Amino acid sequence: MIPVPLLVCVLAGWCAVYLADTLLRSSPTHRISYESWLARRGLMLSPFHVRWQTTIFNRLFAYCARIHPQALYLWFNSGLVFGVVAMFASVVLLVKTLQQTLAQMTTDNPRIGAQQALQVVIPGVNLPTSHLAYFFLALLLSGVIHELGHAVAALREQVRVNGFGMFVFVVYPGAFVDLFTTHLNIVSPTQQLRIFCAGVWHNFVLCVVALAFLFLLPLFLFPFYASSAGALVTEVAQGSAADGPRGLSAGDIVTALEECPVTGVEDWNGCLSHLADVQQTGYCVPAARLQPSWAHGRAFKRLDGTMDCCSNNSLTDLCFSYVKPHTSEREYACMPVRKMVTGTQVCRSDGDCDAHAGPAVCVTPSLQNQTRFIRVAHPPEAHMLFVGYPPHLQHAVSLTNFVPRFGFLHLDLPVFLETFCKYVFSLSGALAVVNSVPCFALDGQWMLNAFVEATLAGVVADRHKRELMGFFLLLAGSALLAANVALGLWMVTAR
């Protein structure tokens, strides 16, 4: 559900803005000066919508439109080709996404939803509130780059730009350019297509740049941050199984999970997935250490059929099972877990144990089916001992691949850059896909109209018939997008 404090803050903020605007507009003494102030600054206010427009960037757009004319010609022609391909590809993607959504509605398999390329995002529901800043900054950057493409392409095609602006609708930021409609209508359909496709083309390029920056981030940060030295802990969820005096803390470097080496976050996730799927590992303990003085608890069956022998729920003891030396009888003993496993060799059977220091026995923690005992190495501290479901450990600890080389460097800087690049990549890509859809009020509407005029004018001579064809195609694309949004919202909020 959407967090109530966030919802209250948004509603209270908009109510305050709307109330102040209404009072100032109805005031006999302040109305004229207030409306003049808004007009001078290019501001427009309406319920849940603030819009700002300016001409201060027009010179910058004009300068960009004059740089290397031949290179710009090739650049925007590439954008034209990409936009046309994206227009058809977006329809295929939406059809596939709709099929996946309908399939997920009839099944409880979460993997189907995870495979979807497009998903509706609602802050506070499927977007963590801690990531709101990343989301809105990436969305605003993607929108600005999108409109920059339109503006430069328009000026290159001799279409005047009246101004550039930004807006906030409820909580979602965006950008726009105001083009001179008369100039736009008199240029050829191919020129129009270059202008209309420039937005999605620039979003695609921004995706590539974000992905390249993400891939090269270790190289950029190399003078300040080391990588492949382990996974650096940046945050531990309070009250989780990894928290506590003998748990993990921010600044620890995890180097191994059991015998699985960890050189980065990918290894951490891979090791946890591997340990969750394989049989619980055992530990080689000298037979002489299996002292009768230790409390060999009376074993009893749990509800899932596994055995337990530590009925007092001790925080220091754990039930171990082993085959009694020189017999085939399986024994269960409640033993001090840290003493038993510290510095010991892992094993699957007694034959895996090195007997150079005397006979050794392979003891295995007796746990419930999905529960695992995992030693987490984070030198120079002693191992953290985790007992539980491995995905819980994965969600309790936030890590990064980058270890600061100097003490004054912040742990979260690489995390910020990584997360921001991922949001830019996903949101800019989503804008490219959605704006390519032949749908009313989106770039796809104008792209489709210009494409029909450029390709079918010689085949269908009647302009009215071409417009009718375009209308029905836009109607189908709008219905497809609306169905995806409606079902996506239902999936996010209702399940």
Side-chain angles (χ1 to χ4, degrees):
M1 294 180 61
I2 299 177
V4 175
L6 177 63
L7 186 61
V8 170
C9 289
V10 171
L11 290 177
W14 279 113
C15 287
V17 171
Y18 184 67
L19 179 62
D21 181 64
T22 303
L23 291 175
L24 289 171
R25 289 182 186 277
S26 60
S27 171
T29 57
H30 297 97
R31 181 176 63 85
I32 296 177
S33 59
Y34 173 65
E35 291 180 349
S36 299
W37 181 82
L38 289 178
R40 287 195 306 270
R41 285 158 179 79
L43 289 171
M44 293 180 60
L45 295 176
S46 58
F48 299 102
H49 184 263
V50 175
R51 170 174 165 160
W52 169 70
Q53 183 172 337
T54 182
T55 59
I56 61 175
F57 298 107
N58 284 14
R59 287 190 177 183
L60 175 63
F61 297 150
Y63 172 77
C64 293
R66 292 192 300 267
I67 299 175
H68 300 295
Q70 189 62 31
L72 284 178
Y73 176 77
L74 295 174
W75 177 261
F76 287 113
N77 271 342
S78 300
L80 184 153
V81 174
F82 173 81
V84 172
V85 173
M87 184 168 55
F88 293 100
S90 65
V91 173
V92 175
L93 183 59
L94 285 182
V95 170
K96 184 177 180 181
T97 303
L98 186 61
Q99 291 175 341
Q100 291 174 337
T101 304
L102 292 173
Q104 191 181 6
M105 291 172 64
T106 58
T107 182
D108 293 328
N109 186 2
R111 293 185 178 181
I112 296 178
Q115 293 171 355
Q116 290 184 340
L118 292 176
Q119 292 183 343
V120 176
V121 175
I122 302 178
V125 178
N126 59 348
L127 174 70
T129 53
S130 59
H131 285 195
L132 288 179
Y134 296 113
F135 177 81
F136 291 130
L137 284 174
L139 187 60
L140 183 59
L141 176 63
S142 302
V144 169
I145 296 300
H146 178 99
E147 299 302 331
L148 174 65
H150 285 313
V152 175
L155 288 170
R156 189 197 165 278
E157 302 296 342
Q158 306 302 314
V159 174
R160 191 176 77 193
V161 175
N162 294 328
F164 166 84
M166 291 187 287
F167 65 87
V168 176
F169 178 69
V170 186
V171 294
Y172 293 95
F176 65 92
V177 288
D178 182 15
L179 303 181
F180 191 53
T181 307
T182 303
H183 288 177
L184 189 61
N185 289 334
I186 62 176
V187 298
S188 69
T190 303
Q191 290 176 295
Q192 292 178 2
L193 203 53
R194 290 196 194 99
I195 297 171
F196 298 140
C197 292
V200 298
W201 168 241
H202 278 220
N203 278 137
F204 171 74
V205 172
L206 182 59
C207 279
V208 174
V209 171
L211 189 62
F213 186 84
L214 192 63
F215 181 76
L216 296 174
L217 191 59
L219 181 62
F220 295 146
L221 295 178
F222 179 77
F224 310 103
Y225 292 85
S227 57
S228 301
L232 177 69
V233 178
T234 59
E235 185 181 2
V236 179
Q238 189 174 5
S240 66
D243 192 22
R246 294 215 174 180
L248 298 174
S249 58
D252 289 348
I253 301 176
V254 177
T255 58
L257 296 172
E258 287 298 337
E259 296 299 304
C260 184
V262 174
T263 60
V265 179
E266 294 78 11
D267 290 340
W268 163 273
N269 295 329
C271 289
L272 284 177
S273 299
H274 173 71
L275 292 173
D277 294 335
V278 300
Q279 182 184 359
Q280 173 66 55
T281 55
Y283 305 91
C284 294
V285 176
R289 289 176 59 184
L290 298 175
Q291 300 175 10
S293 59
W294 282 346
H296 287 235
R298 183 177 179 182
F300 60 92
K301 278 191 176 183
R302 300 187 183 96
L303 293 178
D304 63 350
T306 58
M307 304 297 291
D308 193 10
C309 57
C310 293
S311 57
N312 59 350
N313 295 320
S314 171
L315 297 178
T316 60
D317 297 342
L318 192 66
C319 184
F320 288 87
S321 70
Y322 62 95
V323 177
K324 192 173 182 179
H326 309 299
T327 70
S328 59
E329 183 180 355
R330 181 161 291 277
E331 295 278 350
Y332 294 89
C334 189
M335 305 176 184
V337 59
R338 187 169 291 276
K339 185 174 182 180
M340 292 296 296
V341 303
T342 299
T344 58
Q345 176 187 349
V346 299
C347 59
R348 297 293 178 185
S349 64
D350 292 347
D352 297 333
C353 298
D354 187 3
H356 75 275
V361 176
C362 184
V363 300
T364 305
S366 182
L367 302 169
Q368 299 183 54
N369 290 331
Q370 293 185 328
T371 304
R372 294 291 184 271
F373 173 80
I374 301 174
R375 296 180 300 181
V376 181
H378 57 118
E381 304 295 331
H383 286 49
M384 184 194 83
L385 306 182
F386 170 80
V387 179
Y389 188 39
H392 292 171
L393 180 59
Q394 192 170 7
H395 293 125
V397 183
S398 299
L399 305 106
T400 179
N401 293 324
F402 301 97
V403 180
R405 297 183 186 272
F406 309 102
F408 64 87
L409 294 173
H410 204 282
L411 299 179
D412 291 331
L413 177 59
V415 177
F416 169 79
L417 294 175
E418 279 185 308
T419 308
F420 182 67
C421 285
K422 290 176 181 177
Y423 271 98
V424 169
F425 173 78
S426 58
L427 290 176
S428 189
L431 281 179
V433 172
V434 172
N435 273 288
S436 299
V437 178
C439 172
F440 293 109
L442 295 178
D443 285 350
Q445 175 183 357
W446 316 112
M447 290 164 58
L448 178 66
N449 289 338
F451 179 74
V452 169
E453 289 297 319
T455 57
L456 297 183
V459 179
V460 182
D462 190 342
R463 183 182 181 87
H464 177 70
K465 289 183 179 179
R466 296 197 302 270
E467 291 178 349
L468 194 61
M469 290 174 57
F471 173 79
F472 282 111
L473 289 174
L474 287 173
L475 195 62
S478 301
L480 179 62
L481 182 61
N484 273 275
V485 173
L487 292 179
L489 284 172
W490 184 86
M491 292 295 296
V492 170
T493 57
R495 298 190 66 175

